[in-house]
């Protein structure tokens, strides 16, 4: 248990599932806004013999990404990977898009991972096999009614991931994208008409993240798609 991994959006869903999938093998930095949920998850991991530092913070706040990295390095002494999972899903058709909607999705889905990665890079470059993994969505490549802004932010995240990968060629830092389809998490309201049996499971997306992190140094797993078994909908 040597590597230190930051997971943003770790209090529920894909983030929490990823933390549990990695807990046996890495030291975790769990980042989200909900303190109680984070503390519960960290306690569960510690009870099973793992190590977890919980940082309750809003990543869209000024200097929050820098603060997260500083706390992680101060606590563990190093940093090896960042899983940029924090994000917000909100649907809005063209007639309902507002400046607040645009800003809210852009700040958390695009700006926050960029700034957290920027803060982490100075530490990742000094490690053996550093990783940046960005959680995107199949919406980045598809057209779903009402998802124009959300899909646009995920497409931006993917383009930036490709650019960053090229900027880091020749270093020991790899950049990967995991793009899930519709995933059964609490982001979907209880009265949603979608058939949850047709959705991906958060644990399956977490398994893809773990697969990427455990890839040998000779391989860069650039993008993994986790599609719902019931097909797109």
């Amino acid at each position: 248990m040597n590597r230190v991994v930051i997971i943003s959006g770790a209090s529920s869903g894909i983030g929490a599932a990823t933390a549990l999938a990695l807990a046996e093998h890495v030291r975790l930095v769990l980042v989200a806004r909900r303190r109680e949920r984070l503390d519960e998850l960290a306690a569960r991991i510690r009870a099973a013999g793992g190590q977890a530092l919980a940082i309750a913070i809003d990543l869209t706040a000024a200097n929050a990404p820098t603060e997260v990295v500083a706390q992680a390095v101060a606590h563990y002494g190093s940093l090896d990977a960042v899983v940029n999972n924090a994000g917000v899903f909100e649907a809005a058709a063209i007639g309902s898009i507002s400046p607040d909607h645009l800003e809210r999705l852009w700040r958390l889905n695009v700006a926050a991972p960029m700034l957290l990665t920027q803060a982490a890079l100075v530490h990742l470059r000094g490690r053996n096999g550093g990783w940046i993994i960005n959680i995107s969505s199949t919406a980045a490549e598809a057209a779903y009614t009402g998802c124009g802004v959300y899909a646009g932010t995920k497409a931006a995240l993917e383009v930036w991931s490709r650019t960053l990968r090229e900027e880091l060629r020749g270093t020991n830092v790899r950049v990967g994208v995991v793009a899930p389809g519709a995933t059964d998490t609490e982001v979907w309201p209880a009265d949603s008409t979608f058939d949850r049996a047709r959705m991906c499971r958060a644990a399956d997306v977490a398994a893809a993240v773990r697969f990427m992190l455990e890839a040998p140094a000779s391989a860069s797993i650039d993008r993994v798609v986790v599609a719902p078994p019931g097909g797109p909908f």
Side-chain angles (χ1 to χ4, degrees):
M1 187 183 294
N2 294 317
R3 290 197 291 178
V4 176
V5 180
I6 292 174
I7 302 174
S8 68
S11 60
S12 64
I14 292 170
T18 300
L20 293 172
L22 299 178
E24 185 179 350
H25 304 285
V26 306
R27 294 173 289 171
L28 293 165
V29 180
L30 309 176
V31 181
R33 289 175 293 182
R34 295 179 289 184
R35 164 62 70 184
E36 184 176 348
R37 296 284 292 269
L38 275 184
D39 286 345
E40 289 174 358
L41 178 60
R44 178 180 174 184
I45 289 169
R46 294 185 196 116
Q51 296 185 48
L53 169 66
I55 303 176
I57 197 168
D58 180 354
L59 279 174
T60 66
N63 300 318
T66 301
E67 177 63 22
V68 166
V69 171
Q71 287 193 43
V73 174
H75 185 79
Y76 288 122
S78 61
L79 180 61
D80 299 275
V82 175
V83 179
N84 285 306
N85 168 72
V88 59
F89 171 78
E90 293 179 5
I94 185 63
S96 302
I97 292 173
S98 67
D100 286 345
H101 175 74
L102 285 166
E103 182 180 5
R104 187 163 51 250
L105 269 65
W106 182 267
R107 288 178 65 191
L108 187 56
N109 293 2
V110 183
M114 286 183 173
L115 294 173
L116 183 58
T117 297
Q118 181 188 56
L121 271 177
V122 65
H123 302 283
L124 297 179
R125 284 192 174 110
R127 306 301 290 172
N128 181 21
W131 262 109
I132 299 157
I133 297 179
N134 296 322
I135 305 301
S136 178
S137 168
T138 55
E141 296 184 328
Y144 299 106
T145 301
C147 290
V149 176
Y150 174 76
T153 63
K154 291 302 185 179
L157 184 67
E158 294 220 11
V159 171
W160 173 67
S161 298
R162 294 195 295 270
T163 302
L164 183 62
R165 187 180 300 121
E166 292 307 313
E167 290 181 358
L168 296 175
R169 294 286 188 198
T171 73
N172 56 0
V173 181
R174 291 172 284 179
V175 179
V177 169
V178 175
T183 304
D184 185 11
T185 68
E186 63 188 50
V187 70
W188 300 97
D191 59 354
S192 171
T193 58
F194 289 126
D195 181 1
R196 291 178 181 269
R198 294 177 58 197
M199 292 183 174
C200 301
R201 297 293 176 264
D204 299 326
V205 183
V209 174
R210 179 172 173 175
F211 167 72
M212 195 170 279
L213 283 172
E214 294 180 349
S218 58
S220 178
I221 312 300
D222 292 349
R223 190 174 191 265
V224 174
V225 175
V226 183
F233 62 95

